[in-house]
Amino acid sequence: MKVISRRKFLGNSALAASLAPLAVGSLTSPFVRSARAAEPGPNDKVRLGLIGCGGMGQGDLECFFLNPEVDCVAVCDIDDARIAKGVEICQKKRNTKPDTVKDFRRVLDRKDVDVVLVATPDHWHALPTVLACQAGKDVYVEKPLAKTIDEGRAMVEAARRHQRVVQMGSQWRSCKHIVEVGEFIRSGKLGKVSIVRGWAYLDWLPGIGKPADGPPPPGVDYAMWLGPAPDRPFNPNRFHFNFRWFWDYAGGLMTDWGVHLINMMLMGTGPDSPKSAYSCGGKFVLDDNSETPDSQVTVYEFPNYTLIWEHKAGLNNGLYNRSWGIEWSGTEGNIILNDEGWEIRPEKKKANLDNQRKPGSPDPRPAHVRNFLDCVKSRQQPVLNVDIGHHVSTVAHLGNLSYRTGRKIVWDAANQKVVDDPQADALVGVKYRDPWKLPYAQRA
Ligand SMILES: NC(=O)c1ccc[n+]([C@@H]2O[C@H](COP(=O)([O-])OP(=O)(O)OC[C@H]3O[C@@H](n4cnc5c(N)ncnc54)[C@H](O)[C@@H]3O)[C@@H](O)[C@H]2O)c1
């Protein structure tokens, strides 16, 4: 089995196909109000404002530009070097020069921005998205939906109140062979699925060392990078890309890869919420100043099945010799899936399923972006709308609540509360540093 690189997991090639929305329900209503005169029609240009032009922002921008109707009118980042990268892509792909800005609120003020792409670190997903909804923009926001569960709720509320199209950027929802697996499992052909496992074993994750604090690089507005996160001196490890290994900004691999794979796992098993989560692990492999565990296992109790998440740094040999993958275990057999395809392994004593291998499909990101653009025009719900994004991100966050408290988390999904555990429940909430406030936050 070939080992997938991070680059391949994130994807970099084009896929023309777009997929029909899974979630139904039109956003068109007599109450739709927008800051613009009208939503873009089928033949109109879609004018994009990019917020966050790092690794993913640049890759997503390239995907948006695969669609001829997209123009980028504004590029926003707190780092001049990153802004320059965004401008370069616009010049190369469209021969245009977007306006540039370091404060994302100036992007939202503009009447010539129809949609915003939010590709900032996780602690900066919620506020730009909520404010964009208030400003009448549609939003493509990277995964995980937010840094905390209550931030996600506020995003759901903002999209609902302002009738916005919001797609979360976990592109695997738009991946042909994963959509097929989901349909196959939900059809019941695998029998009763009682155990689902997802794993990411990643040897490309090196230690990041223990650099000293120091001044931020020139051209960087560090206060704006921190935003609502706690104030602290600049440390190069807590900045671009590696922010994901620090609790102030993100949730480690549990929410980084976890959201992608939990999203795929739930495509097979459906929209139930877990009743509880228990997680353990630690920094057993890496000797550096990162905070999130390099090895972690989380067990979720869903009403009709158990879901198990595993990640580990320092080794690519995961289950079934696959660096990452998913296994649904039913009563008729099991299915193993990764980007290279899926494989049905029938139960030997039964003859209801054939032993089959199905090929993988190309990079799903272009299709995911295309689905978003189609929904911007049709006012239909995208395949990974904000409700589904919130749901799958919540499942991932529950793993970290358990890891961080060292206790089993009992989850009251109806009220979005941890049962009888105020310390864990506090991690569900929104704690922003002044002067930042998140509209619609329940527990601010
Ligand atoms: N869908 C995927 O497969 C995938 C892959 C990688 C990353 N992501 C997600 O994309 C997001 C960004 O990750 P990355 O790897 O690109 O990180 P990154 O650090 O390379 O990029 C983030 C960019 O946001 C900028 N930024 C920070 N605060 C800002 C602010 N207030 N206003 C404007 N810009 C700001 C940073 O300067 C940086 O350039 C993360 O949430 C990550 O989980 C998704």
Side-chain angles (χ1 to χ4, degrees), residues 123-180:
H123 71 288
W124 260 129
H125 286 185
L127 194 51
T129 300
V130 168
L131 297 183
C133 289
Q134 288 185 325
K137 319 293 185 198
D138 296 325
V139 186
Y140 186 99
V141 55
E142 266 308 331
K143 51 69 15 193
L145 190 64
K147 190 180 89 77
T148 71
I149 294 172
D150 271 6
E151 282 184 323
R153 284 177 88 178
M155 293 159 88
V156 169
E157 182 62 17
R160 191 189 63 76
R161 281 203 204 193
H162 300 280
Q163 301 278 306
R164 295 293 93 208
V165 171
V166 179
Q167 170 102 300
M168 187 177 84
S170 185
Q171 57 274 21
W172 302 98
R173 258 301 148 159
S174 295
C175 185
K176 195 162 169 287
H177 74 280
I178 300 176
V179 171
E180 271 171 22

Side-chain angles (χ1 to χ4, degrees), residues 28 91 131 158-159 170 233 277 290 331 370 403 431:
T28 310
Q91 284 176 327
L131 297 183
S170 185
S290 67
T331 45
R370 185 64 249 170
Y403 175 79
K431 236 176 151 187

Side-chain angles (χ1 to χ4, degrees), residues 6 9-11 50-60 76-83 101-105 118-125 128 140-145 168-172 220-228 239-244 249-250 255-257 260 365 368 436:
R6 177 174 183 86
F9 185 76
L10 304 182
L50 166 60
I51 301 174
C53 193
M56 201 58 191
Q58 291 166 40
D60 282 343
C76 168
D77 201 291
I78 57 76
D79 182 344
D80 285 339
R82 292 295 178 82
I83 287 179
V101 67
K102 280 189 171 152
D103 185 332
F104 69 91
R105 292 169 293 190
V118 177
T120 44
D122 306 7
H123 71 288
W124 260 129
H125 286 185
Y140 186 99
V141 55
E142 266 308 331
K143 51 69 15 193
L145 190 64
M168 187 177 84
S170 185
Q171 57 274 21
W172 302 98
V220 165
D221 182 343
Y222 178 54
M224 198 62 176
W225 189 93
L226 282 174
F239 193 46
H240 291 334
F241 186 82
N242 286 326
F243 66 82
R244 25 173 73 62
Y249 323 116
T255 53
D256 191 49
W257 279 54
H260 279 312
R365 214 160 20 139
H368 205 54
W436 300 102

Side-chain angles (χ1 to χ4, degrees), residues 15-24 27 63-64 67 69-70 115 138-140 165-175 179 364-386 388:
L15 171 71
S18 74
L19 300 163
L22 289 179
V24 287
L27 291 166
C63 281
F64 272 83
N67 302 281
E69 74 264 49
V70 173
V115 301
D138 296 325
V139 186
Y140 186 99
V165 171
V166 179
Q167 170 102 300
M168 187 177 84
S170 185
Q171 57 274 21
W172 302 98
R173 258 301 148 159
S174 295
C175 185
V179 171
R365 214 160 20 139
H368 205 54
V369 168
R370 185 64 249 170
N371 171 252
F372 169 69
L373 293 170
D374 287 343
C375 292
V376 166
K377 293 179 175 185
S378 68
R379 311 313 293 164
Q380 297 295 306
Q381 291 282 355
V383 289
L384 189 34
N385 68 22
V386 67
I388 305 173

Side-chain angles (χ1 to χ4, degrees), residues 273-293:
S273 290
K275 297 186 287 181
S276 76
Y278 177 72
S279 188
C280 61
K283 288 266 316 262
F284 302 136
V285 177
L286 304 176
D287 179 22
D288 57 23
N289 72 347
S290 67
E291 296 175 342
T292 57

